[in-house]
C-alpha cells in the first residue's frame, strides 16, 4: 500500500526511529512532524502532552497515513492507549519494543532506564518490564539535561560528556548490565552515554527496536508498500527548519527528504 507512514516527536529525537525505518523499509514514505517550538515535552504536565500530541496526530492524519508511529517516549507513556483506541489505523509506540529488547539482552536482570521526567514519573518502563518479568530489578533515572543538548545540536562539545556523566551518576553502584535509552533523543548522545557507563553495559536504542517492530506489523497487516518509493519523505517542524535540517543531515544516511516549517493552528 502506497500511503505514507506518519511519525511524530516533540522535536528531532524521532529521527532516530526514522533512520531505522529508512534502512529497514526503504520503499516506505515517511511524513514526520517534530514539535520543536514546544520541545521539551518531558517536563510538561500530562494533560498538555496529551493536547499537543493530538494536534500533531490531527496534522498527520491530513496526509492519509496508513500507520502512526509515536516516536516519542513521553507521548507514548501518556497517550498511546488512547490513540490506539481512537484511530482506525495501527498505532505503535516506542516503549514496548525497548522493553522487549532489554529483556532479551540482560543476563543479570538488573536494568537501568533513562528518560524524560514525564516518562520516568509515568513509570511506563517499569510497568512494561514487570508485566513480562516480575523478577527484574529496574532503576529509573530522569535526565532532563539531555534533550536541550540534542535540540541545540551540541553533541560534540567537550562539556557535553561532563553533563552526561553527572546525570548518570545514580547508576554508579547499581550494577546494571543493560540501559534502556528511554527517550528518542538519547541515541544522538549514545557515544557519550556508553563512555560514561562503561563497555559492560549494553545500551538499548528503542528507536532501532521500533523499526523492527514496524516491519512486522506492516507485513502482518498487509500494509507494506511493494512499489518503488515515489517522491521524497516530508519532515515538518514547528521550529526552525534550518536547525532541524542540520541535525537531520548529520544523523540520517539518506538525503531523500524535504524539510518545512509549519504552524499548527
Ligand atoms: N524525544 C522524546 C521522548 O522520547 C521527548 C523529549 C522531550 O520533548 O522532552 O521522550
Amino acid at each position: 500500500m502506497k500511503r505514507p507512514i506518519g511519525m511524530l516527536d516533540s522535536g528531532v529525537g524521532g529521527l532516530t526511529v526514522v533512520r531505522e525505518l529508512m534502512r529497514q523499509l526503504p520503499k516506505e514514505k515517511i511524513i514526520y512532524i517534530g514539535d520543536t517550538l514546544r520541545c521539551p515535552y518531558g517536563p510538561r504536565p500530562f494533560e498538555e502532552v496529551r493536547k499537543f500530541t493530538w494536534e500533531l496526530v490531527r496534522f498527520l492524519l491530513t496526509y492519509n497515513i496508513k500507520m502512526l508511529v509515536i516516536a516519542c517516549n513521553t507521548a507514548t507513556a501518556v497517550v498511546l492507549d488512547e490513540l490506539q483506541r481512537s484511530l482506525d489505523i495501527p498505532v505503535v509506540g516506542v516503549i514496548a519494543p525497548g522493553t522487549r529488547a532489554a529483556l532479551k539482552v540482560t543476563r543479570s536482570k538488573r536494568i537501568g532506564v533513562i528518560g524524560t521526567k514525564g516518562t520516568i514519573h509515568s513509570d511506563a518502563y517499569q510497568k512494561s518490564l514487570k508485566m513480562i518479568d516480575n523478577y527484574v530489578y529496574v532503576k529509573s533515572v530522569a535526565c532532563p539535561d539531555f534533550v536541550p543538548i540534542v535540540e541545540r545540536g551540541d553533541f560534540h562539545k567537550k562539556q557535553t560528556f561532563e553533563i552526561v556523566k553527572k546525570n548518570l551518576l545514580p547508576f554508579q553502584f547499581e550494577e546494571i548490565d543493560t540501559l534502556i535509552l528511554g527517550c528518542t533523543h538519547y541515541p544522538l548522545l549514545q557515544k557519550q552515554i556508553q563512555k560514561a557507563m562503561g563497555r559492560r553495559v549494553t545500551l538499548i536504542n528503542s528507536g532501532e527496536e521500533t523499526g523492527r517492530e514496524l516491519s512486522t506489523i506492516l507485513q502482518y497487516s498487509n500494509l507494506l508498500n511493494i512499489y518503488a518509493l515515489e517522491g521524497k519523505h516530508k519532515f515538518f517542524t514547528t521550529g526552525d527548519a534550518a536547525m532541524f535540517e542540520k541535525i537531520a543531515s548529520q544523523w540520517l544516511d539518506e538525503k531523500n527528504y524535504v524539510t518545512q516549517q509549519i504552524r499548527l493552528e
Side-chain angles (χ1 to χ4, degrees):
M1 184 187 275
K2 279 186 180 176
R3 283 161 59 193
I5 297 176
M7 298 181 80
L8 66 85
D9 180 43
S10 62
V12 293
L15 291 174
T16 59
V17 188
V18 168
R19 179 159 94 164
E20 280 313 307
L21 193 59
M22 284 174 159
R23 219 167 50 84
Q24 295 178 34
L25 296 166
K27 292 180 178 175
E28 299 298 334
K29 161 106 58 107
I30 301 166
I31 310 285
Y32 179 98
I33 178 159
D35 196 4
T36 317
L37 189 69
R38 299 186 290 194
C39 186
Y41 280 11
R44 293 181 187 273
F46 287 174
E47 196 42 49
E48 201 166 35
V49 174
R50 182 174 167 265
K51 179 174 169 278
F52 291 174
T53 307
W54 266 107
E55 285 171 21
L56 303 180
V57 171
R58 276 189 212 103
F59 173 81
L60 289 172
L61 289 175
T62 62
Y63 282 85
N64 194 23
I65 54 173
K66 62 181 172 186
M67 180 184 215
L68 174 65
V69 183
I70 312 298
C72 172
N73 289 265
T74 316
T76 299
V78 178
V79 248
L80 179 69
D81 291 349
E82 184 184 333
L83 289 166
Q84 285 177 330
R85 278 197 309 271
S86 319
L87 303 182
D88 55 6
I89 50 174
V91 185
V92 179
V94 276
I95 292 179
T99 299
R100 279 194 285 274
L103 289 171
K104 229 189 289 171
V105 162
T106 185
R107 297 198 169 274
S108 64
K109 294 202 181 203
R110 296 183 70 84
I111 299 178
V113 180
I114 50 174
T116 65
K117 276 191 182 150
T119 302
I120 299 303
H121 290 164
S122 76
D123 247 358
Y125 271 102
Q126 168 105 357
K127 283 182 202 146
S128 178
L129 286 160
K130 296 265 185 199
M131 200 167 73
I132 301 177
D133 187 345
N134 243 333
Y135 295 104
V136 82
Y137 168 79
V138 187
K139 168 78 181 172
S140 308
V141 175
C143 299
D145 296 337
F146 291 3
V147 170
I149 296 176
V150 172
E151 287 288 327
R152 283 196 306 269
D154 285 349
F155 325 113
H156 307 298
K157 284 213 172 137
K158 220 169 127 201
Q159 62 266 41
T160 297
F161 178 62
E162 294 310 316
I163 299 172
V164 167
K165 216 164 72 178
K166 198 168 139 227
N167 276 263
L168 297 175
L169 269 181
F171 290 110
Q172 209 178 3
F173 305 112
E174 290 289 340
E175 296 188 0
I176 56 162
D177 70 351
T178 308
L179 178 68
I180 301 177
L181 307 183
C183 170
T184 52
H185 280 72
Y186 296 178
L188 288 134
L189 297 172
Q190 187 148 350
K191 278 196 193 116
Q192 290 92 333
I193 296 172
Q194 187 74 71
K195 193 170 156 201
M197 294 303 296
R199 273 182 303 143
R200 290 217 188 104
V201 176
T202 306
L203 303 188
I204 302 293
N205 172 346
S206 50
E208 223 167 82
E209 299 307 324
T210 308
R212 272 178 219 133
E213 181 140 322
L214 290 183
S215 356
T216 315
I217 295 174
L218 286 174
Q219 209 142 20
Y220 184 75
S221 334
N222 231 344
L223 289 172
L224 270 180
N225 181 22
I226 52 168
Y227 306 100
L229 176 69
E230 280 170 20
K232 297 189 173 193
H233 304 290
K234 287 197 175 73
F235 298 162
F236 295 97
T237 169
T238 54
D240 179 17
M243 189 60 195
F244 192 95
E245 171 103 43
K246 190 176 153 208
I247 297 174
S249 69
Q250 285 172 0
W251 183 250
L252 302 173
D253 307 318
E254 269 192 57
K255 302 279 171 270
N256 188 20
Y257 55 83
V258 284
T259 311
Q260 192 185 323
Q261 185 184 35
I262 46 134
R263 208 183 313 164
L264 291 172
E265 298 304 337

